[in-house]
Amino acid sequence: MIPAPFDYVAAESAAHAIELLSQHGDDAKVLAGGHSLLPMMKLRLAAPEVLIDIARVADLAGISVDGDELVIGATTRHADLASSELVRADAPLLAHAASLVGDPQIRHRGTIGGSLAHADPAADLPMALVALGGSVELTSAGGTRLVAADDFFAGFFETALEPGELLTAVRVPRRPGVAWGYQKFVRRANDWAIVGAAAIDGRIALANMGSVPVRARAAEQALADGASAADAARLAADGTSPGEDIHADRAFRQHLARVLTRRALEHIS
Amino acid sequence: MSILGTRVLRTEDPRFLTTGGVYTEDLTDEALDGACHVFFVRSPIAHARIGRVDLSAALAAPGVIAAFSGADLADLPAIEPMMAGMLNAKMTRRLLAIDKVRFVGDPVAVVVTEDPYQGEDAVELVDVDYDPLPAVVDFDDALSNETILFEDAGTNVVVEFGNAGSLKPELFDGCEVVVSHTFGNQRVAPAPMESRAAAAVWGEDGRLTTWIPNQGAQSARDDLAKMLDVEASQVRVITPDVGGAFGAKFGADPEHAVVAWVARQLGRPARWTETRFENLISMTHGRGQRHTIMIGGSRDGDVLGYRLEIIQDGGAYPRIGAVLPFLTIMMATGPYSIPNAEAIGTSVVTTTTPIGAYRGAGRPEATAALERALDLFAAEIGMDPADVRRRNLLPPFTEPHQTAFGALYDSGDYAAALDKALEAAGYADLRAEQASRRASGGTVQMGIGVSCYVEITGGGDESGAPQENATVEVHPDGTATILTGTSPHGQGHSTAWAMIASEELGIPVENFTVRWGDTDLIPVGGGTGGSRSLQQGGAAVQQASKELIELARERAAAALEASAADLQFDPGRSAFAVAGDPDASVRLADLAKDERLFVHSIFTAPGATFPFGTHVAVAEVDTETGKAVLRRVITVDDAGLVLNPLLAEGQRHGGIAQGAAQALLEEVVYDADGNPLTASFADYPIVSATELPSFELASMETPTSYNPLGVKGIGEAGTIGATPAVQSAIIDAVAHLGVRHVEMPTTPMRVWRALVEASAQGTDSESA
Amino acid sequence: MQVELTVNGEQRSDDVEPRLLLVHYLREVCGLRAANIGCDTTSCGACTVLLNGESVKSCTVLAAQATGQDVVTAEGLAAAGELHPVQAAFRAEHGLQCGFCTPGMVMAAVSLLRENPSPTEEQVREGLEGNLCRCTGYHNIIRAVLAASGQAEVTA
């Protein structure tokens, strides 16, 4: 299978990419690793007229420290995220999540910015970012705005990205030494999560329990009120309305959310 | 020392590892220069009347040469089901559907382009009006005949093997315990890594040459000739490298014929390679049976009665799948001595992908039903499943054993295989570990599954006793060529056949060229399927080699001016020498200098052979999430003598993995409207390396007298033995929590539901 | 558009359609047909090649994205007529049957061993999770990779 025809432009800088984005509007899509976009295009679920390749833009890559936060360039690949000493020390949950995305080949190509902008509610990195309470930098010709992970994911494969905006960087709080847990329930190692749960510092995020990666807020509140992990986890599915597919119906997903949340709260990964 | 029985590395490997095999899509044959590319328009609806097929937009798209719909091929005969005498002959098919579509994926039109990229664009532009009809997905819906797929047939029943009226009410008389259950043997996708493909060109002589990945060029040729309504002599099929088949590439499919038809229509070569999406919805699927079993016996473990009722899903158009109950019935009682047994089957059509052969084809279903029945019986009487099996196995035999279902088992020692497997597994220790884990009440529990089987390999067809032919030729340069009627696609015949001939001729294995899959070169052949190749094709190579030595002996006698009777053939030197005078010798190769030295020979077997064995599986189940993990598989697979352990083990490994995959993961799923939900490798969970352990193989070799090599078939043992063993292990892991059965695949959701239901029942009975 | 890249050590420059997938570029433009296409969904790994020394699925990379980079296919792993140690191990351990997944599997294994020269059996299985094989049950593939890593055989 192959994509429908398109024009290809390689951006030379972030500013250039943004200029191209505003120039082409809705007809354009940003291409980084291409591991979210190209599969959609091959299935003809997406057919942009222009692809703006940002993979070789130097100022979109790299991982650095900015005070209490790690700043991760949008084109940072999953493999680099998973093996980064900085990320493993300061945000090990994120490094672990990145090490579970797809398979090695996908991790050699896929990027954090691409995965977040794709906004698959079953994916690893969106759940990890919500659990970590991170944020994304969205840059347009008008400047850069910071959007919290909780506000970024707007719906099934939908985000707060406005036309003309480029996801340029990801920020996550540095939490060296803080205990965390990560649970990805799959039938095969490289499948998307049937349900996922990630927990750190009193925050709990769930994958594939709705149209976006969601917080298990009732469980978080119980934790804040002093409940045990087991007691809090019983509330993990409250307020969720997960979809149904061949792997799980709604009741099973909610059951899994409770079990996986307890395990994540027990710092199992 | 004999080369037979040794671990000879495959001679075919280096090119596969470096430049890669030459599969149909890789062909660069000159005859295919300028080929056009064929793309199929497939029905997105399970069951509908076809209205207008509008090709105009596609015809106007860039690079489009032509487009055709079913009406354009209406002159070609409707395709009758195979064995039309047995199957309902009114259930015919068109190469491209004309009046109705009957499954999602049914081809209705083709678009032909210069370039393959143009084809994917243009195929979306074909506009077909469909008038939807009710889908028939469920067995009961099919049997009810409320919606009929083939109006002319007047029924959805393709064939009945016996009928309910013939069942004996007294079958279970005298049984202290009778257990019955209905369960599925689910539809799975063969999913060879190479999808289907074709390349076709017609010569100026009016003959078709076509390259098709297949399991037997000769049957593919015959199928094509029938579909194209030409003489078989007008068709030449060439088999390139084949990227796996597993039963699903036997013969030719309508798509292959359409590609040939397009090539003739346009007067230029045509090529086709299907996408994985197409492959998963339109290559034949396998299995697809529903079983109702009833098993009865004494409380001390004697099985006295067994009844198996089968419903077979044939899919939209009857193919070999519709015949599978015949084999399932034949193998219904497996390796056991059951005094009273009966089995019947009914095949129906449904608005789903046609069912064909898949590794095991009918026998895994028989074993799964019987082993599940034995487990249910064992659970009911509270006896260890291995003990129940041992108690009921047939005693060892060396003279053929006739079963009540018409099978003639050639040789077997089933209890020895069971004991060997249990010993290799450390069965007693496993049970002890299981008991302690149960006692500790941990989240992750462990289960052990045991499956004994006997299967049928190398059976003949209606034309008579199983046969295969081979030609062996020695060349003056010391090399040799073997022509075989078998058709390897991973099995390693190049190496194996060379080993057999090398043993006789004294020519090194690497000096052989083994050829197959060209119907002009090898007009007759049975192909590779049903685990027949070594026992018949290999035996033919050995027979031809022996005959070649005798032919050469005459020439050697003339050359050495000696009596043929005084000549000894020394394989070490690949030469004849006069007894007592080793210097008076002549090399075999030298005898081919003046006149070609070759023999064509046909080997005829007295009948099918019946390999057997026992598989033991160990699984862990997370009782909170229902997820099962396969920890160990230990197998004894006795397929007679082993020619090359490396190849035989490879066959066992692959079969075990596929069998385990059916138990654990794989299922083709349709929704109620007949839409496939597993049409990509993202959704169809073909097993990967992370879900499997390394396998533990114990060896056992009980020879057969049915061929001089003493071999039986090994290709399908894995799926037959492993599927029930793995399913049983998973159920056993949660048996102490009240679970008696979990359907395949044993998905986490199913295991969890079974646990929830068992827990609720436990609570009910406690409160009662 | 023009793409310039190195394929198996050879510098190339070709005019291609922007949507041309790297796997089709390698197969149809370069004539390197070892990499195969086994699925539509980046699932099977039969098309795996090395891009700058790392395994990628060439069905999900545009030829355009490979510009300026270094591609190695199974054909380029060893000199003609020779086998790379991983290729040799696949043969010695009977790690291939029909051969369709093999070039991709070998490239994935080469990449895996570069990143982790002494993997455990579990790490090999996880490292090959993106490559499907329908013939071998993976048993001998795992053995081959362990053998190629120079470790004593872990499995029986």
Side-chain angles (χ1 to χ4, degrees):
Chain A
M1 284 188 157
I2 50 143
F6 55 82
D7 288 330
Y8 170 93
V9 198
E12 287 151 17
S13 64
H16 184 215
I18 290 159
E19 187 192 317
L20 288 166
L21 262 180
S22 55
Q23 189 183 321
H24 293 287
D26 285 350
D27 296 338
K29 281 270 189 191
V30 174
L31 176 72
H35 272 51
S36 299
L37 182 57
L38 291 178
M40 302 275 282
M41 291 172 65
K42 286 167 71 176
L43 296 171
R44 309 260 168 142
L45 297 172
E49 288 177 20
V50 182
L51 283 190
I52 301 166
D53 188 351
I54 59 166
R56 275 159 290 188
V57 173
D59 49 347
L60 290 174
I63 301 166
S64 59
V65 172
D66 181 11
D68 293 339
E69 290 185 318
L70 283 182
V71 183
I72 300 158
T75 60
T76 304
R77 305 176 311 160
H78 309 319
D80 297 329
L81 205 54
S83 62
S84 159
E85 290 302 326
L86 206 51
V87 180
R88 288 159 66 116
D90 288 356
L93 187 156
L94 185 62
H96 181 74
S99 77
L100 297 178
V101 177
D103 54 47
Q105 291 96 316
I106 288 170
R107 296 193 287 273
H108 287 147
R109 291 295 297 167
T111 66
I112 186 170
S115 177
L116 296 176
H118 187 57
D120 185 336
D124 288 280
L125 297 186
M127 171 173 74
L129 193 73
V130 169
L132 288 164
S135 57
V136 291
E137 290 181 12
L138 308 182
T139 308
S140 65
T144 297
R145 62 183 178 122
L146 204 60
V147 177
D150 285 334
D151 302 325
F152 179 66
F153 300 102
F156 199 60
F157 296 103
E158 285 176 22
T159 69
L161 271 164
E162 297 285 343
E165 271 187 331
L166 180 68
L167 195 166
T168 44
V170 180
R171 288 178 170 268
V172 294
R174 298 171 65 197
R175 287 201 193 86
V178 174
W180 54 279
Y182 195 94
Q183 291 285 310
K184 179 179 185 179
F185 189 75
V186 290
R187 292 174 68 195
R188 297 181 303 171
N190 66 344
D191 283 338
W192 277 273
I194 294 173
V195 175
I200 182 167
D201 243 0
R203 287 175 68 98
I204 303 161
L206 303 172
N208 217 1
M209 288 298 291
S211 60
V212 296
V214 296
R215 297 268 296 280
R217 292 195 186 269
E220 288 180 0
Q221 186 59 51
L223 279 181
D225 295 343
S228 68
D231 286 341
R234 284 192 193 100
L235 307 173
D238 287 14
T240 61
S241 49
E244 305 203 332
D245 57 26
I246 57 173
H247 305 298
D249 61 14
R250 183 190 163 99
F252 184 50
R253 276 209 160 80
Q254 292 189 322
H255 167 75
L256 285 174
R258 290 187 283 266
V259 172
L260 301 179
T261 296
R262 194 196 73 231
R263 292 179 184 182
L265 289 173
E266 289 166 352
H267 309 134
I268 301 170
S269 54
Chain B
M1 195 191 101
S2 172
I3 195 173
L4 305 184
T6 66
R7 304 174 79 85
V8 176
L9 297 186
R10 294 210 316 177
T11 55
E12 46 271 77
D13 284 353
R15 74 184 176 85
F16 281 115
L17 284 160
T18 53
T19 54
V22 181
Y23 306 95
T24 300
E25 198 184 7
D26 298 331
L27 290 169
T28 53
D29 196 290
E30 270 179 15
L32 296 170
D33 285 352
C36 58
H37 297 267
V38 179
F39 288 81
F40 285 87
V41 178
R42 296 180 182 279
S43 173
I45 297 174
H47 194 196
R49 291 199 190 286
I50 302 172
R52 200 171 68 108
V53 181
D54 184 355
L55 304 170
S56 57
L59 282 166
V64 174
I65 301 163
F68 304 102
S69 67
D72 295 305
L73 288 79
D75 288 348
L76 290 175
I79 310 161
E80 289 195 339
M82 59 184 294
M83 305 184 195
M86 180 198 278
L87 307 186
N88 194 320
K90 300 256 176 69
M91 297 179 174
T92 61
R93 182 175 188 180
R94 292 291 184 160
L95 294 185
L96 294 176
I98 295 180
D99 300 323
K100 275 177 80 172
V101 288
R102 293 184 177 86
F103 69 101
V104 172
D106 209 349
V108 292
V110 289
V111 175
V112 188
T113 59
E114 296 285 352
D115 176 280
Y117 273 37
Q118 295 164 335
E120 289 205 23
D121 298 338
V123 81
E124 300 201 316
L125 303 174
V126 173
D127 189 25
V128 184
D129 290 336
Y130 295 102
D131 182 10
L133 296 164
V136 182
V137 178
D138 185 83
F139 285 109
D140 294 319
D141 288 347
L143 286 167
S144 77
N145 283 327
E146 273 174 35
T147 299
I148 287 183
L149 271 71
F150 297 88
E151 286 81 357
D152 287 354
T155 173
N156 290 322
V157 173
V158 186
V159 57
E160 287 182 315
F161 301 93
N163 62 70
S166 68
L167 295 175
K168 299 189 198 79
E170 70 279 14
L171 199 73
F172 298 95
D173 285 358
C175 292
E176 293 168 355
V177 176
V178 178
V179 185
S180 67
H181 210 288
T182 295
F183 42 74
N185 197 288
Q186 82 274 24
R187 172 189 288 254
V188 291
M193 292 310 299
E194 183 205 22
S195 295
R196 294 176 302 167
V201 61
W202 294 78
E204 285 173 9
D205 56 0
R207 288 187 80 218
L208 167 68
T209 300
T210 182
W211 293 258
I212 294 175
N214 68 74
Q215 296 177 235
Q218 298 79 11
S219 64
R221 172 200 58 200
D222 295 346
D223 285 354
L224 278 172
K226 227 176 266 174
M227 288 188 275
L228 293 166
D229 200 19
V230 299
E231 294 295 320
S233 62
Q234 295 302 100
V235 178
R236 178 187 185 188
V237 172
I238 300 176
T239 309
D241 285 324
V242 177
F246 312 110
K249 288 181 182 170
F250 232 116
D253 291 339
E255 287 92 336
H256 298 121
V258 171
V259 174
W261 182 88
V262 167
R264 186 172 60 187
Q265 196 72 9
L266 299 180
R268 63 188 278 189
R271 302 182 77 146
W272 165 64
T273 302
E274 71 181 350
T275 63
R276 179 59 62 185
F277 177 76
E278 286 184 281
N279 176 264
L280 285 170
I281 63 170
S282 60
M283 177 186 239
T284 51
H285 293 154
R287 314 282 189 261
Q289 290 188 359
R290 186 173 73 186
H291 299 145
T292 298
I293 59 95
M294 195 177 271
I295 185 168
S298 65
R299 290 226 162 257
D300 57 4
D302 288 331
V303 176
L304 303 172
Y306 176 62
R307 175 183 292 155
L308 171 63
E309 296 170 74
I310 305 160
I311 307 291
Q312 170 77 53
D313 183 352
Y317 299 99
R319 297 192 49 168
I320 198 162
V323 188
L324 293 181
F326 177 79
L327 280 170
T328 308
I329 290 167
M330 180 189 275
M331 300 310 296
T333 52
Y336 303 104
S337 171
I338 303 178
N340 298 307
E342 56 192 16
I344 60 170
T346 300
S347 295
V348 294
V349 283
T350 60
T351 56
T352 60
T353 302
I355 296 267
Y358 174 57
R359 202 168 197 167
R363 298 100 84 199
E365 295 89 328
T367 304
L370 181 56
E371 294 299 286
R372 199 77 280 284
L374 281 165
D375 276 352
L376 290 166
F377 177 70
E380 190 65 29
I381 61 171
M383 189 179 246
D384 184 288
D387 291 338
V388 171
R389 284 169 172 78
R390 187 181 295 100
R391 198 178 173 97
N392 291 285
L393 286 171
L394 287 163
F397 58 94
T398 49
E399 291 300 313
H401 168 84
Q402 181 76 55
T403 75
F405 294 94
L408 189 66
Y409 297 171
D410 57 325
S411 61
D413 188 349
Y414 305 142
L418 171 64
D419 289 339
K420 207 174 178 75
L422 295 179
E423 191 193 335
Y427 188 70
D429 292 346
L430 286 171
R431 285 288 174 209
E433 186 190 339
Q434 179 185 51
S436 84
R437 285 169 76 158
R438 286 180 174 180
S440 76
T443 302
V444 179
Q445 290 292 320
M446 183 249 258
I448 308 145
V450 179
S451 159
C452 301
Y453 71 89
V454 58
E455 59 135 338
I456 174 171
T457 66
D461 56 23
E462 66 272 23
S463 65
Q467 284 190 337
E468 192 48 272
N469 75 103
T471 301
V472 177
E473 176 165 11
V474 173
H475 306 295
D477 63 358
T479 65
T481 301
I482 297 169
L483 309 183
T484 178
T486 66
S487 191
H489 38 281
Q491 293 85 349
H493 295 182
S494 286
T495 305
W497 285 196
M499 287 171 69
I500 293 167
S502 174
E503 175 78 3
E504 304 299 328
L505 307 177
I507 293 170
V509 164
E510 55 272 19
N511 284 7
F512 282 89
T513 301
V514 180
R515 300 190 63 181
W516 62 89
D518 179 339
T519 55
D520 277 7
L521 191 65
I522 306 160
V524 178
T528 286
S531 302
R532 66 181 295 274
S533 293
L534 179 59
Q535 58 185 307
Q536 285 147 25
V541 170
Q542 186 191 46
Q543 181 172 297
S545 302
K546 286 180 185 291
E547 288 170 9
L548 185 139
I549 291 295
E550 294 316 307
L551 172 68
R553 187 185 303 277
E554 298 301 323
R555 292 193 198 173
L560 296 171
E561 296 177 349
S563 154
D566 291 340
L567 293 183
Q568 287 178 337
F569 183 71
D570 175 9
R573 293 192 294 157
S574 188
F576 287 96
V578 178
D581 182 8
D583 290 339
S585 70
V586 59
R587 290 175 60 239
L588 195 57
D590 291 335
L591 298 170
K593 275 182 177 151
D594 297 330
E595 189 186 349
R596 283 179 64 187
L597 178 59
F598 72 95
V599 166
H600 175 256
S601 194
I602 298 168
F603 173 79
T604 303
T609 58
F610 292 79
F612 60 91
T614 295
H615 286 206
V616 178
V618 181
E620 286 181 339
V621 173
D622 182 328
T623 55
E624 284 186 323
T625 64
K627 181 167 175 171
V629 176
L630 184 57
R631 289 298 178 202
R632 293 175 65 197
V633 181
I634 304 96
T635 84
V636 171
D637 298 295
D638 189 330
L641 300 185
V642 172
L643 173 72
N644 182 336
L646 205 63
L647 300 179
E649 288 162 10
Q651 287 298 309
R652 292 166 71 184
H653 294 152
I656 292 166
Q658 284 176 318
Q662 185 183 358
L664 272 172
L665 288 165
E666 295 184 19
E667 178 174 29
V668 173
V669 183
Y670 291 91
D671 69 13
D673 296 324
N675 298 304
L677 304 180
T678 47
S680 78
F681 275 170
D683 295 314
Y684 186 80
I686 177 173
V687 68
S688 83
T690 47
E691 288 76 55
L692 295 170
S694 285
F695 307 128
E696 302 163 56
L697 309 185
S699 72
M700 178 163 163
E701 302 183 25
T702 304
T704 179
S705 61
Y706 281 23
N707 60 75
L709 292 166
V711 300
K712 309 184 190 184
I714 191 63
E716 296 159 290
T719 53
I720 294 164
T723 309
V726 173
Q727 182 188 19
S728 174
I730 291 158
I731 295 167
D732 185 56
V734 289
H736 64 298
L737 302 173
V739 174
R740 284 278 174 93
H741 178 76
V742 181
E743 286 285 285
M744 296 192 295
T746 50
T747 62
M749 184 161 64
R750 283 185 175 145
V751 173
W752 173 71
R753 277 186 184 153
L755 283 164
V756 169
E757 281 164 22
S759 167
Q761 281 176 4
T763 313
D764 287 352
S765 56
E766 276 161 31
S767 60
Chain C
M1 64 176 293
Q2 203 69 18
V3 293
E4 294 180 8
L5 66 162
T6 308
V7 178
N8 294 338
E10 182 197 345
Q11 182 66 40
R12 295 186 60 104
S13 179
D14 294 290
D15 186 37
V16 303
E17 208 183 340
R19 64 170 166 164
L20 184 69
L21 301 174
L22 180 60
V23 66
H24 288 131
Y25 172 76
L26 293 169
R27 290 175 55 85
E28 304 305 326
V29 180
C30 305
L32 298 167
R33 293 185 171 81
N36 291 311
I37 299 168
C39 73
D40 316 315
T41 46
T42 329
S43 306
C44 81
C47 62
T48 300
V49 300
L50 301 183
L51 187 66
N52 300 330
E54 295 174 322
S55 58
V56 302
K57 294 181 175 177
S58 62
C59 72
T60 310
V61 178
L62 301 172
Q65 290 176 288
T67 221
Q69 307 192 51
D70 181 43
V71 176
V72 176
T73 71
E75 290 97 331
L77 264 188
E82 292 177 21
L83 295 179
H84 179 279
V86 171
Q87 291 169 324
F90 268 68
R91 184 176 185 214
E93 300 293 338
H94 188 32
L96 64 152
Q97 290 183 28
C98 83
F100 196 83
C101 77
T102 305
M105 193 70 80
V106 165
M107 301 315 277
V110 168
S111 182
L112 164 66
L113 291 176
R114 279 184 188 167
E115 289 172 15
N116 182 358
S118 300
T120 62
E121 174 177 339
E122 191 183 351
Q123 288 170 331
V124 175
R125 289 184 179 276
E126 286 171 358
L128 297 178
E129 67 183 316
N131 291 76
L132 299 175
C133 169
R134 199 55 160 168
C135 295
T136 64
Y138 305 98
H139 181 104
N140 284 343
I141 290 174
I142 306 303
R143 285 170 62 102
V145 178
L146 290 170
S149 75
Q151 302 180 85
E153 282 170 11
V154 180
T155 58

